[in-house]
Amino acid sequence: MAALSVAGVVASTATANAAAGCRVSYQIANQWQGGFGANVTVTNLGDAISGGWTLEWDFAAGQTVQSGWNGEFSQSGTRVTVRNPSWSANLGTGASVTPGFNGSWTGSNPVPVQFRLNGTVCTGNVDTTTTTTTTTTTTTTTGDNPGGGPRVDNPYVGAGVYVNPQWSRQAAAEPGGSRIANQPTGVWLDRISAITGNGSPTTGSMGLSDHLDEAEKQRAARADGQLVFQFVVYNLPGRDCAALASNGELKADEIGRYKSEYIDKIAEIVSRPEYSKLRIVSVIEIDSLPNLVTNVSPRVTATPQCDTMKANGNYIDGVSYALGKLGAIGNVYNYIDAAHHGWIGWGDTNPQYDNFFASAKLFASVLGRNGATKDKVHGFITNTANYSPLEEPYWTVDDHVGGRPVKESAKWVDWNDFNGELGFATAFRTELVKQGFDSGIGMLIDTSRNGWGGQNRPTAKSTSTNPDTYIDESRIDRRFQKGNWCNQSGAGLGERPKAAPKPNIDAYVWIKPPGESDGSSTYIPNDEGKGFDRMCDPTYGGNARNGYNMSGALPDAPLSGHWFSAQFQELMRNAYPAL
Ligand code: BGC
């Protein structure tokens, strides 16, 4: 295991091995003045433990735990005690768990020298190393996940993430682009020919095995020997049923081709032994399943295409097939797309207004089909290719203004239960577990375009007593409406990709590569199946799905997936945190 490589901050690792008993890898994932975040992987090397485990250590320099996850943390003096969460009381021989926490420190932050699991000391006669560096450094001891399994709890911890050379080249060719060209982004398999390469004007000439070969090189070049490769499975029959900009090549009934010419081919390549050391994150089918809740009859937002996909069952069939096939590969981590708060952030007991609970239920309906058992779903991803911020710093949905709750009186809020992706992802995770997903699932959030910095970013809460004015002056999300999704004007890059930024959030990721268009502003003939969606036309006054607001799209955009320099520049300009 190894520490996350973080430029310019302290990265520390302590590894303690015992012949029998337990092994602990304590990783400081990031550290700043006064604070730090750490993950503590403990592997049981002794007899299987059932009925609960306890991990203990002492801090040597007065550090304190502020909040923890994947375990119940308590501290008394220097002694930290982590007890198993209720959902994870057993620890088989060879099994590991990774509780993590955010803590505070002053003066210095040395790593603890001794750990105990159920009273047994994990240090031993084998090997104890402590490494502290103050540069862009990665430290390493043992690789914990060779040969394609077992899966680790959070694949992003202690690993680098694949930098796609094609995207990187395009980014670097832009003025100022070298500032972000070394960031990891998703590889989109948005058509059958993208698997072999050469067939795709958007994904370029590298096929899946070319990317994996390159990823394997990037992995082998790392001191910690761990790399996440992120790719997007995006080719369902009748794709993008509520929009036209990303309609795909497969017709609504071509589920057979989806399985045999697309998923089976991907699975064959990904499962090759030469890629077994990679941690392969597959993002499953953006913007698909929630359509079957929100954009079907009798709702006013229904489209005939979504009604068709609900009736023929091919979204559910396809998603479960992808999960089953890819999830059977030991080093693949499936994350299902779970929309974003501006789409399904409404929970209601009245089914007419409920998107939240119904979506979680719908997701759970894939379980048990086509081999998609719950152990094949590692987590979910929100906000892919969308613009919803992580948090709104200046207002909450529970605010009252002029004596009225903003939730029901401000048009922007419109009864939504959330105002950002962190709150939404956390709550949706809980609901997904209730509906039958594994209690250990983690969330990813795409932060590639949700920064909302730049000149128009508010710097304080509004003092208005009018609910609409109050929200409009306070919100950092500058869209006309939350349903707007195409090339949003004013948007900026969000948080840079980062492992384990918050409890239950496995990573912030850039799945939609900045600079790739969401859709063309006018009709452009093409052979990719892409339609023209007026939500990408800046002169369009909207439809039922965005409450008849202006689209907010940038002008002169190319087809979805194609390079859009003006958008790339705008995202850099409005980045938050700034570049
Ligand atoms: C497009 C895909 C593209 C992806 C990433 C989608 O909107 O439809 O063709 O690969 O974005 O840019």
Side-chain angles (χ1 to χ4, degrees), residues 361-436:
K361 210 180 220 149
L362 184 84
F363 282 121
S365 75
V366 301
L367 292 175
R369 287 176 208 245
N370 290 323
T373 42
K374 70 177 182 177
D375 58 306
K376 304 219 167 49
V377 180
H378 207 72
F380 289 77
I381 176 166
T382 84
N383 209 39
T384 308
N386 207 274
Y387 297 85
S388 295
L390 287 172
E391 287 173 296
E392 282 285 352
Y394 305 123
W395 64 277
T396 79
V397 290
D398 299 320
D399 286 350
H400 283 61
V401 171
R404 290 192 289 162
V406 295
K407 199 167 177 180
E408 46 195 83
S409 55
K411 226 171 123 202
W412 171 265
V413 191
D414 189 27
W415 298 86
N416 197 302
D417 297 316
F418 307 94
N419 67 2
E421 290 305 293
L422 274 173
F424 166 70
T426 304
F428 200 52
R429 179 187 177 283
T430 303
E431 184 59 26
L432 287 161
V433 171
K434 257 190 221 159
Q435 292 297 337

Side-chain angles (χ1 to χ4, degrees), residues 30 34 62 119 142 278 285 314 376 394 523:
N30 49 42
T142 52
L278 293 166
E285 295 294 356
N314 286 344
K376 304 219 167 49
Y394 305 123
Y523 176 68

Side-chain angles (χ1 to χ4, degrees), residues 188 190-191 202 234 239 246 512-513 516-517 530 560-561:
W188 288 61
D190 65 343
R191 72 204 69 200
T202 67
Y234 190 54
R239 191 175 75 189
S246 282
K512 175 82 188 185
E516 294 185 9
S517 172
K530 306 265 168 77
S560 64

Side-chain angles (χ1 to χ4, degrees), residues 236 241-242 284-296 299 301 306 310 315-316 319 336-340 343-345 354-356 358-360 362-363 380-381 424 428:
L236 275 178
C241 66
I284 306 290
E285 295 294 356
I286 314 302
D287 294 358
S288 54
L289 298 180
N291 276 309
L292 306 181
V293 173
T294 66
N295 294 320
V296 291
R299 296 208 183 183
T301 47
C306 291
K310 184 172 180 187
Y315 275 6
I316 302 261
V319 167
I336 307 176
D337 183 74
H340 58 99
W343 182 354
I344 59 172
D354 171 56
N355 296 349
F356 184 85
S359 294
L362 184 84
F363 282 121
F380 289 77
I381 176 166
F424 166 70
F428 200 52

